[in-house]
Amino acid sequence: MQVIFADALGFCFGVRDALAAAERAERPDLVTIHGELVHNEAVLRSLNTRGFHSAAERDRDSLPPTPLVMITAHGVSDRERARLESAGKGLIDTTCPLVEKVHRAAQILAAEGRHVLIIGRPGHVEVRGIHEDLPSGEVVDSEKAVRTYPHDRLGIVCQSTTPPRLAASVNAAIRAANPHADIRFIDTICQPTRDRQDAVVRLLPHVDAVVVVGGSNSNNTRELAALCRDRGVPAFHVQSADDLQADWFRGYRVVGLTAGTSTLDQTIHEVHEALRQLDATCALPACPTT
Ligand code: SF4
């Protein structure tokens, strides 16, 4: 079975920089990571081993016990930053500059008196951070969720990892349902997300199926798998080589390999090796079940 890599995959600079900041921490035992530094279980385990405290994303409302708090690449609201600082916490801020760009765009639209619609996943930490600072805003995750809003002025931004095709369809649905409104859209999808999506589109014509490597919690990884399936190509989302099952590949001759922006190079390499080692004869239709 041949394995072809997507020509853009894996770690983005935002995640790399956040991990580098964690690497530099001299006293991990004094630092609480405010949520998941990256949506990658292997990385989270290794941070835990180094002695970092961690607050689960659902528990971020309580006050961390340590004097230092690390803000993840997903960012937080200004309100949350102020809450932590007023409690005397020192902040190690690893917010990705491209997430900061989404915050700035949302604030520009709010300053123009617009009700701000955030295209993204409700409850996602990045989306929560953007939403919390808005005087008037809400999250829209699909065309179905779009309604006619009672506001004359609407603004639209996207969670940084929104698939471009979803942003386009929701944007169009908002415009169709709100012909009365003055609408301004600021495209805040980050370039690494675009690059990885575009690379999958280029890959699909050449493969029978795609293996997508990344955390089960990683939005951009899930979206890569969804893109494959939407285009009629089977996709297998795995977190590590251990998740691979030989049966999945029965009858496939060429398999694509891609990974989300929080997937370690090492994990991609291990998945690649495991795929190469799958018994080649089991990739053929006549292979008996073992
Ligand atoms: S996926 Fe995009 S926004 Fe998120 S950390 Fe990476 S570069 Fe930044």
Side-chain angles (χ1 to χ4, degrees), residues 11-277:
F11 261 18
C12 60
F13 74 91
V15 169
R16 213 176 280 279
D17 289 354
L19 288 176
E23 254 334 288
R24 288 193 298 272
E26 287 173 5
R27 292 282 310 272
D29 57 311
L30 300 182
V31 181
T32 299
I33 300 175
H34 204 42
E36 294 187 0
L37 191 62
V38 293
H39 291 142
N40 177 313
E41 284 187 11
V43 174
L44 296 177
R45 272 197 304 274
S46 118
L47 292 168
N48 208 22
T49 306
R50 281 190 59 209
F52 283 100
H53 297 250
S54 60
E57 287 178 349
R58 65 180 175 284
D59 297 334
R60 292 201 321 176
D61 291 343
S62 49
L63 216 46
T66 54
L68 294 170
V69 179
M70 184 174 280
I71 307 296
T72 71
H74 310 99
V76 292
S77 61
D78 289 346
R79 199 176 77 182
E80 176 63 356
R81 202 172 264 111
R83 181 182 80 96
L84 294 168
E85 284 175 336
S86 67
K89 306 294 178 188
L91 301 186
I92 304 169
D93 195 346
T94 72
T95 305
C96 175
L98 299 184
V99 171
E100 285 173 357
K101 189 176 150 193
V102 190
H103 282 256
R104 279 198 303 278
Q107 289 304 318
I108 287 169
L109 295 171
E112 291 174 353
R114 298 174 191 275
H115 179 65
V116 180
L117 303 170
I118 306 162
I119 301 174
R121 199 149 60 81
H124 188 280
V125 278
E126 177 189 331
V127 171
R128 267 181 60 188
I130 297 158
H131 192 191
E132 276 174 11
D133 281 336
L134 290 172
S136 173
E138 61 192 273
V139 184
V140 185
D141 65 351
S142 65
E143 283 176 68
K144 272 194 208 146
V146 170
R147 58 191 177 88
T148 300
Y149 304 97
H151 308 83
D152 294 335
R153 288 167 75 74
L154 295 172
I156 309 171
V157 294
C158 316
Q159 179 180 349
S160 60
T161 52
T162 306
R165 71 195 192 295
L166 176 67
S169 66
V170 174
N171 201 342
I174 293 169
R175 288 171 194 277
N178 295 274
H180 65 283
D182 171 62
I183 301 175
R184 182 175 173 201
F185 169 61
I186 302 181
D187 185 348
T188 52
I189 300 171
C190 80
Q191 194 59 43
T193 291
R194 273 186 199 287
D195 292 344
R196 280 147 191 72
Q197 290 251 328
D198 292 348
V200 163
V201 170
R202 287 190 291 275
L203 180 69
L204 290 179
H206 308 289
V207 299
D208 300 314
V210 178
V211 173
V212 185
V213 193
S216 58
N217 217 8
S218 159
N219 191 52
N220 74 86
T221 305
R222 291 203 297 216
E223 294 297 352
L224 289 171
L227 174 60
C228 300
R229 293 180 191 125
D230 284 356
R231 300 202 171 208
V233 177
F236 305 107
H237 180 170
V238 298
Q239 299 202 77
S240 71
D242 293 344
D243 295 341
L244 290 170
Q245 295 179 29
D247 272 3
W248 292 345
F249 304 100
R250 202 169 299 280
Y252 295 151
R253 291 176 185 275
V254 186
V255 170
L257 182 57
T258 186
T261 54
S262 51
T263 309
L264 295 171
D265 293 346
Q266 173 69 18
T267 310
I268 299 171
H269 174 71
E270 287 164 5
V271 170
H272 181 220
E273 277 306 304
L275 283 170
R276 277 163 33 101
Q277 284 172 22

